[in-house]
Amino acid sequence: MRCGKMAAPPPLPAEAAGTWGGVRRRCQRLLYWVPVLFISSILCWSYYAYVTQLCLLTMTNIGEKVVCLVAYHIFFMLFVWSYWKTIFTLPMNPSKEFHLSYSDKESLEREPRGESQQEVLRRAAKDLPIYTRTMSGAIRYCDRCHLVKPDRCHHCSVCDKCILKMDHHCPWVNNCVGFSNYKFFLLFLAYSLLYCLFIAATDLQYFIKFWTNGLPDTQAKFHIMFLFFAAAMFSVSLSSLFGYHCWLVSKNKSTLEVFRAPIFRHRTDKNGFSLGFSKNLRQVFGDEKKYWLLPVFSSLGDGCSFPTCLVNQDPEQASTPGGLNSTSKNENHLFPAKPLRDSQSHLLTDTPSWPETTAKAEKDKVGMSNPALTMENET
């Protein structure tokens, strides 16, 4: 009796495949919450260890208890508030004006890749304030969301959508950090660092007593020891991360823009969006200082358009995105100026003080006159 080859199993019907795909996506979404649950469990344990075991059961001085409990709950409240806002603030997506119309989508699908598709995108983007390009000088387009990407907007593979001023996707908050919640993310880092430093500082003397056998042999000893280790460990990692993002704010950059500098029509410019330290800070935190330390939204602008510190070039002098002069003359199409919010516009009407501008002659020309306001035809 001959043994034949085992037949391949029949393919799953479309309904079963769709059901399995839905189950898999739901499982992935649940797994994405594991880091958040880990941070939340650490936070709950630290609350119990500090408030109950350290303050109420170990501290003997009433004044010290009151001061530590009041200060701790202030830091705890600000930490939880900013963390909550970072997690549950929905990332902002490009507005409908950046989405292709039905006719433009059809035209884009009909045209072969290359100059023909770029012509369709140029027509769709002619009324949009788009200053940046791809490395080849083409219009930035997302073929998954079917939209022309605003400046500083990127597609997140985890969220599967385009995010305005995307910085990164953070697994610890299970959310994209972008225009809508970047201020909350910064405050979350700041208050979590202060929270850990406060715990480590006030727990230090009792931690030392633990090693010198100055504490009674109770359950509190182990909570005090691990509380200090955890606070010190998180303080080190948080201080480096917070310092890095403070530097990003001072330069008006995102994490993605550090690894790939924005490309404007005339050249790549890593400091193209930097307006000077003060104005860079106000873009993230807003004009009203009373809201700076609170996790409430106060950032300037709409997330779709940003002022730049670039200056005009001779319109007759065409250039490539890499900054090399081109010998061909391009036909220029001016973008209609899109009005910014008053609070964003006056960033450019104040007395300019751009520390990144090196040539003295350029300082008198700083403003919204961005060379990327002109759309170059591809040759």
Side-chain angles (χ1 to χ4, degrees), residues 37-335:
L37 293 175
F38 173 74
I39 295 295
S40 301
S41 61
I42 292 291
L43 188 62
C44 292
W45 167 77
S46 68
Y47 185 90
Y48 167 77
Y50 190 88
V51 173
T52 304
Q53 297 294 336
L54 179 62
C55 291
L56 298 181
L57 299 179
T58 305
M59 291 183 181
T60 56
N61 187 293
I62 300 299
E64 183 184 11
K65 278 187 182 182
V66 172
V67 171
C68 287
L69 285 172
V70 170
Y72 173 84
H73 281 91
I74 292 174
F75 289 128
F76 181 82
M77 180 192 69
L78 292 171
F79 177 18
V80 172
W81 187 8
S82 57
Y83 189 45
W84 177 276
K85 294 284 285 187
T86 307
I87 295 173
F88 294 104
T89 298
L90 294 177
M92 286 180 64
N93 313 120
S95 54
K96 61 181 181 180
E97 63 203 33
F98 289 89
H99 290 259
L100 293 188
S101 64
Y102 181 76
S103 59
D104 286 335
K105 285 181 189 176
E106 283 194 328
S107 301
L108 200 66
E109 291 171 358
R110 285 198 305 266
E111 297 293 343
R113 288 189 177 274
E115 175 62 25
S116 301
Q117 283 193 341
Q118 275 300 299
E119 186 59 37
V120 173
L121 292 177
R122 279 195 288 268
R123 288 199 306 268
K126 71 183 189 316
D127 294 329
L128 300 175
I130 298 171
Y131 307 160
T132 55
R133 304 292 188 84
T134 64
M135 293 185 69
S136 63
I139 303 295
R140 298 173 67 242
Y141 173 73
C142 179
D143 54 4
R144 291 185 64 85
C145 300
H146 303 292
L147 56 83
V148 176
K149 291 182 182 179
D151 294 335
R152 315 184 81 176
C153 173
H154 298 276
H155 187 89
C156 175
S157 58
V158 179
C159 299
D160 196 26
K161 60 180 70 173
C162 285
I163 308 298
L164 294 181
K165 196 186 175 185
M166 180 178 171
D167 187 86
H168 68 288
H169 186 93
C170 181
W172 299 108
V173 300
N174 190 27
N175 199 1
C176 258
V177 177
F179 177 75
S180 62
N181 62 351
Y182 187 64
K183 177 191 172 185
F184 305 148
F185 178 73
L186 280 173
L187 292 178
F188 156 62
L189 293 179
Y191 289 132
S192 58
L193 177 59
L194 289 175
Y195 178 80
C196 292
L197 289 174
F198 175 79
I199 288 178
T202 53
D203 187 36
L204 177 60
Q205 60 172 314
Y206 298 97
F207 176 76
I208 294 173
K209 287 180 180 179
F210 169 81
W211 291 107
T212 57
N213 295 320
L215 291 177
D217 191 13
T218 62
Q219 185 185 13
K221 289 178 62 174
F222 300 100
H223 286 286
I224 290 170
M225 181 183 68
F226 288 117
L227 188 63
F228 179 82
F229 275 129
M233 180 184 66
F234 280 110
S235 295
V236 173
S237 58
L238 285 169
S239 59
S240 59
L241 185 59
F242 178 63
Y244 171 70
H245 278 279
C246 287
W247 176 79
L248 289 180
V249 170
S250 70
K251 298 295 183 181
N252 204 345
K253 294 181 181 181
S254 67
T255 299
L256 293 176
E257 289 167 352
V258 170
F259 291 100
R260 180 178 293 177
I263 302 170
F264 296 88
R265 186 186 67 85
H266 66 305
R267 63 190 170 93
T268 298
D269 194 324
K270 63 181 181 180
N271 294 317
F273 291 108
S274 181
L275 307 175
F277 176 77
S278 176
K279 295 176 183 180
N280 293 342
L281 190 69
R282 285 157 57 192
Q283 270 205 357
V284 175
F285 289 94
D287 290 325
E288 300 187 61
K289 295 182 179 179
K290 61 184 179 181
Y291 296 125
W292 281 13
L293 300 180
L294 297 177
V296 294
F297 185 81
S298 59
S299 302
L300 303 184
D302 56 6
C304 293
S305 58
F306 299 89
T308 74
C309 67
L310 303 182
V311 298
N312 267 335
Q313 287 181 318
D314 183 356
E316 297 296 324
Q317 180 184 5
S319 55
T320 62
L324 300 175
N325 290 337
S326 172
T327 56
S328 63
K329 184 184 293 185
N330 293 337
E331 179 184 352
N332 295 322
H333 301 280
L334 290 178
F335 278 120

Side-chain angles (χ1 to χ4, degrees), residues 275 278-279 282-283 286-288 298 300-301 307 339-354 367-368:
L275 307 175
S278 176
K279 295 176 183 180
R282 285 157 57 192
Q283 270 205 357
D287 290 325
E288 300 187 61
S298 59
L300 303 184
L340 305 176
R341 269 179 40 179
D342 291 341
S343 54
Q344 182 177 349
S345 299
H346 75 240
L347 287 174
L348 298 170
T349 58
D350 293 343
T351 304
S353 57
W354 325 123
M368 281 297 292

